[in-house]
Amino acid sequence: MVKRFYVDQYVDRILAGDRVVLSRAITLVESTLPADQDLAQEVINRLIPHTGNSVRVGITGSPGVGKSTFIESFGNYLIQEQSKKVAVLAIDPTSQRSGGSILGDKTRMATLATNPAAYIRPSPAGKSLGGVARNTREALLLCEAAGFNVIIIETVGVGQSETAVHSMVDFFLLLLLAGAGDALQGIKKGIMEMADGLAITKADGDNHQKAEQARAEYKHALHLFPPAPSGWLPPVALCSALENTGLAVIWQMVQEYLTLTQKSGFFTRKRQEQNLHWLHQAIRYALEDRFFSHKLIREKLPDLEKAVAESKTSPFKAATDLLKLF
Ligand code: GDP
């Protein structure tokens, strides 16, 4: 059971950068109790004027590509060299099934986790990717209100989670390995098209040469895509978390992207579109929730499901009948 503060206390303490209260507020967001949800919504709504002032960076790549190692080095670089406060959130749709989140493992990012200028929150567990993504989006806003000015959202490079991350970040970075081949890495073309920047990881030791070659190949591949609406051509960087190289180049890449898109107005337009996307998502979730918890629907649904499964009723007729009851 979540201990409830009054809304004012949450708001004041989060604005003061209190991490314990920030964590509690995120726990409220993740709670399924209606009272917790109401409180969370009120807190977030009060904090909205204090959000939006961070750089939101999404990071994806196949398992083993080096995401957590990279985020740890990159996070430490941003704190030490750029005087940033960094929050790391995750969307991991596999956390539900495995019972423990691979992105939430406490031993990951050990040096970043103990840095007072960093805040790391594992992926929320949830029934659906939509729910998990929504919680992460709300956690992002809370972290911004608490003064974190770079928010990194990590996800695994498989499935639909990239689309969810893409709908909440300013810059989307795709991490790739040299010499593994696209098919092997499970990177779908769609994910490459979503990326604002690519980075070849583990470009160190014997691997450096291969990484250079991979960079040339990816650069070529990117030229074949239709131009992005932002007018930006995604660069390809090399990095090594082991040798701590490439971090400044990647941050520079993000800065250049921001300068270009802020000047053209694309940045603001994209954020506005993302806000509207989340409004519509929220409406959809709420409607679905209400529909399936409606007394009459709960009573009638099993029979209709049976009839539809046995092809005795058309799914469309059944849906229309249920909606009339609702
Ligand atoms: P994730 O699954 O994408 O989060 O990958 P991890 O960050 O857990 O890294 C997977 C493996 O790659 C680990 O054994 C790391 O030590 C190794 N690794 C990560 N970054 C680098 C790097 O820059 N250079 C080298 N040589 N190995 C790395």
Side-chain angles (χ1 to χ4, degrees):
M1 174 75 181
V2 179
K3 186 169 179 231
R4 294 199 188 90
F5 287 72
Y6 290 110
V7 172
D8 282 351
Q9 280 175 304
Y10 272 106
V11 169
D12 292 348
R13 294 216 212 158
I14 288 170
L15 288 176
D18 184 329
R19 308 151 61 94
V20 176
V21 177
L22 171 65
S23 287
R24 282 190 200 171
I26 298 177
T27 305
L28 276 184
V29 159
E30 292 169 1
S31 163
T32 49
L33 294 178
D36 289 344
Q37 275 297 319
D38 287 351
L39 185 53
Q41 292 319 313
E42 220 172 305
V43 170
I44 292 173
N45 202 43
R46 284 270 303 278
L47 289 171
I48 279 290
H50 305 278
T51 63
N53 299 319
S54 79
V55 182
R56 304 165 178 174
V57 181
I59 293 184
T60 192
S62 303
V65 73
K67 288 180 298 300
S68 57
T69 316
F70 172 79
I71 292 171
E72 172 149 56
S73 317
F74 193 53
N76 282 321
Y77 163 81
L78 292 173
I79 292 167
Q80 281 150 24
E81 309 288 326
Q82 303 291 337
S83 309
K84 298 291 184 190
K85 285 182 75 185
V86 179
V88 181
L89 308 172
I91 296 183
D92 177 7
T94 60
S95 66
Q96 173 72 9
R97 268 166 282 149
S98 59
S101 164
I102 44 165
L103 297 184
D105 184 343
K106 284 260 158 53
T107 58
R108 294 165 82 248
M109 306 179 201
T111 67
L112 189 61
T114 53
N115 195 316
Y119 178 79
I120 300 180
R121 179 87 181 186
S123 177
K127 281 201 208 89
S128 65
L129 169 62
V132 170
R134 181 207 160 127
N135 289 344
T136 303
R137 160 82 185 181
E138 294 186 306
L140 177 150
L141 297 173
L142 290 169
C143 288
E144 286 183 342
F148 290 92
N149 45 18
V150 179
I151 318 274
I152 294 175
I153 303 182
E154 176 189 9
T155 192
V156 283
V158 286
Q160 290 295 305
S161 53
E162 277 72 24
T163 315
V165 175
H166 190 247
S167 68
M168 61 179 91
V169 298
D170 305 314
F171 190 95
F172 200 37
L173 179 68
L174 171 60
L175 301 186
L176 294 159
L177 277 177
D182 290 356
L184 272 180
Q185 298 191 44
I187 297 296
K188 297 195 186 70
K189 190 164 157 278
I191 297 178
M192 253 182 69
E193 263 172 305
M194 264 190 256
D196 301 300
L198 272 52
I200 317 285
T201 57
K202 309 188 193 181
D204 42 48
D206 293 346
N207 213 21
H208 198 269
Q209 186 71 28
K210 270 198 288 179
E212 281 289 1
Q213 195 184 333
R215 176 181 17 208
E217 284 164 15
Y218 280 116
K219 264 189 165 169
H220 179 72
L222 285 167
H223 272 288
L224 303 177
F225 289 148
S230 56
W232 168 261
L233 182 67
V236 187
L238 298 185
C239 67
S240 162
L242 208 67
E243 295 176 352
N244 259 320
T245 52
L247 302 172
V249 172
I250 291 171
W251 182 238
Q252 181 67 26
M253 183 196 282
V254 176
Q255 294 300 111
E256 280 169 18
Y257 175 85
L258 293 176
T259 306
L260 176 94
T261 56
Q262 277 167 349
K263 216 166 128 194
S264 71
F266 180 84
F267 180 89
T268 308
R269 264 200 323 278
K270 183 166 159 185
R271 282 220 174 161
Q272 285 171 345
E273 279 167 16
Q274 288 176 333
N275 284 345
L276 293 181
H277 168 82
W278 286 97
L279 166 68
H280 291 138
Q281 285 288 79
I283 293 171
R284 252 177 247 128
Y285 292 144
L287 278 177
E288 206 179 287
D289 222 41
R290 281 192 206 171
F291 179 80
F292 286 109
S293 55
H294 192 277
K295 192 169 168 287
L296 280 176
I297 303 298
R298 289 221 314 261
E299 278 169 20
K300 296 277 182 209
L301 190 60
D303 288 346
L304 277 171
E305 275 175 349
K306 191 162 177 283
V308 169
E310 292 168 359
S311 293
K312 287 178 182 149
T313 302
S314 103
F316 311 105
K317 168 88 167 61
T320 309
D321 289 351
L322 284 171
L323 281 164
K324 274 183 193 150
L325 285 177
F326 180 59

